[in-house]
Amino acid sequence: MTTDVHAGTPTSGAGAGRSQRRRALRRLRRNPAGMVGLVLVVLLVLAAALAPLLAPADPAAVDFDRLREQPSAAAWLGTDEFGRDQLSRVLFGLRSSLFVGVLAVLLAVVVAVPLGLAAGYYRRFVDPVVSRLTDTMLAFPFLVLAVGLAAILGPSLLNAAIAIGVSQVPNIIRVMRGETLRLANENYIDAAVAGGAHDGVILFRHILPNSVNALLIQVTVGIPAAILGEAVLSFLGLGVQPPTPSLGVMLSSAQPFFAQAPWLALFPGLVIVAATLAFNLLGDGLRDALDPKGHRR
């Protein structure tokens, strides 16, 4: 007997796993919101990855003859208070935001997954310690914890990613702990124990693969929170530092000129909204598609 990493239940072979994946893809394709989110995520990732090719100008190039120009054919999104091309800065700012978002979530996964597995499996000794630590961290709002950690670490892109990643650790620990508690009672785990499998095999070959669905959904939901966190930290001067483009830095710089040049804040704000909305829609679509209790089609 093998386990199906997508359904979260034991199956009789690889064919069942492929069947579950096909059903999940069909559910996702029939979910309009999920598909909109997927398309937006792909477009945003491509725009960020191809920023050096798509940007019409150097995002750091200053032109004092073109200060705060309105959007036009020469500068599609206008220019900022230093005459820098807004479109170029938005593209590179999106790149910074996605980099921080993905790096922060990956860091949180690396730290939280082993802790969540251990807490859910070793309930007598490890679970009380990890659960108390998690509850203590969850007592602080996400942004408050991230701002505090960033202030301690110092302002930089990497430190912002670390602060946001650490702030997301407790949520992923709770997800992994819950999945471990659920899966530890499955019959195929009992069979593995009876067959002499040691704890490492049970945790990393049986429980972890069958927790991928829940973990993937949590990652998809965590990335937009990390993007918002990066924007807040950069806005407060605790994240990306000028003149490096960042959507949060652009919003902060645009604040004194909002009445005279609202486009300076409008376009970075719209990109932040689009990115967070896209990942949230994709996360909702994945949750519906990967739900093992969903309708079979």
Side-chain angles (χ1 to χ4, degrees):
M1 178 179 291
T2 62
T3 59
D4 178 1
V5 301
H6 291 272
T9 56
T11 67
S12 58
R18 289 193 294 269
S19 176
Q20 290 286 347
R21 289 192 290 271
R22 286 194 295 268
R23 281 197 290 267
L25 288 174
R26 283 199 298 269
R27 294 190 196 109
L28 182 60
R29 286 197 297 265
R30 295 175 183 177
N31 186 321
M35 289 304 299
V36 169
L38 177 61
V39 171
L40 284 175
V41 167
V42 171
L43 291 177
L44 290 169
V45 170
L46 287 176
L50 301 176
L53 300 176
L54 297 176
D58 183 347
V62 175
D63 187 349
F64 291 107
D65 293 326
R66 303 180 59 193
L67 303 183
R68 298 195 301 274
E69 283 188 0
Q70 295 185 14
S72 64
W76 289 4
L77 303 186
T79 61
D80 67 4
E81 69 276 17
F82 294 108
R84 296 172 297 194
D85 185 77
Q86 278 283 93
L87 176 57
S88 301
R89 292 184 64 77
V90 165
L91 289 172
F92 278 89
L94 174 62
R95 200 179 204 191
S96 297
S97 295
L98 290 180
F99 174 78
V100 171
V102 173
L103 181 61
V105 172
L106 287 178
L107 173 64
V109 167
V110 170
V111 174
V113 166
L115 291 176
L117 286 170
Y121 195 72
Y122 301 108
R123 297 192 61 186
R124 185 173 180 182
F125 302 107
V126 179
D127 188 32
V129 177
V130 174
S131 295
R132 296 297 80 74
L133 176 63
T134 301
D135 292 341
T136 301
M137 295 180 68
L138 287 173
F140 297 92
F142 166 72
L143 287 177
V144 172
L145 185 58
V147 169
L149 290 173
I152 294 172
L153 296 172
S156 73
L157 185 145
L158 180 59
N159 287 345
I162 293 173
I164 295 169
V166 172
S167 301
Q168 292 201 340
V169 164
N171 290 324
I172 299 180
I173 287 179
R174 293 185 68 179
V175 170
M176 287 305 304
R177 177 182 178 275
E179 287 295 295
T180 303
L181 290 173
R182 179 179 67 84
L183 295 170
N185 295 319
E186 295 288 342
N187 292 333
Y188 63 89
I189 298 297
D190 295 335
V193 173
H198 57 76
D199 292 350
V201 171
I202 294 172
L203 288 172
F204 293 100
R205 292 189 58 185
H206 295 288
I207 293 179
L208 180 58
N210 284 287
S211 304
V212 168
N213 288 351
L215 184 60
L216 178 61
I217 294 169
Q218 184 62 36
V219 165
T220 309
V221 173
I223 289 178
I227 291 173
L228 282 175
E230 184 277 330
V232 170
L233 292 181
S234 296
F235 183 87
L236 296 175
L238 297 172
V240 179
Q241 296 299 295
T244 303
S246 164
L247 299 176
V249 169
M250 294 175 70
L251 288 175
S252 179
S253 301
Q255 190 176 12
F257 309 103
F258 186 77
Q260 299 86 7
W263 61 87
L264 296 182
L266 175 63
F267 296 117
L270 287 177
V271 172
I272 292 174
V273 171
T276 54
L277 178 63
F279 279 102
N280 279 315
L281 289 176
L282 179 59
D284 289 342
L286 287 175
R287 181 171 56 246
D288 294 339
L290 296 174
D291 183 5
K293 296 181 181 179
H295 299 292
R296 297 185 178 275
R297 296 176 182 177

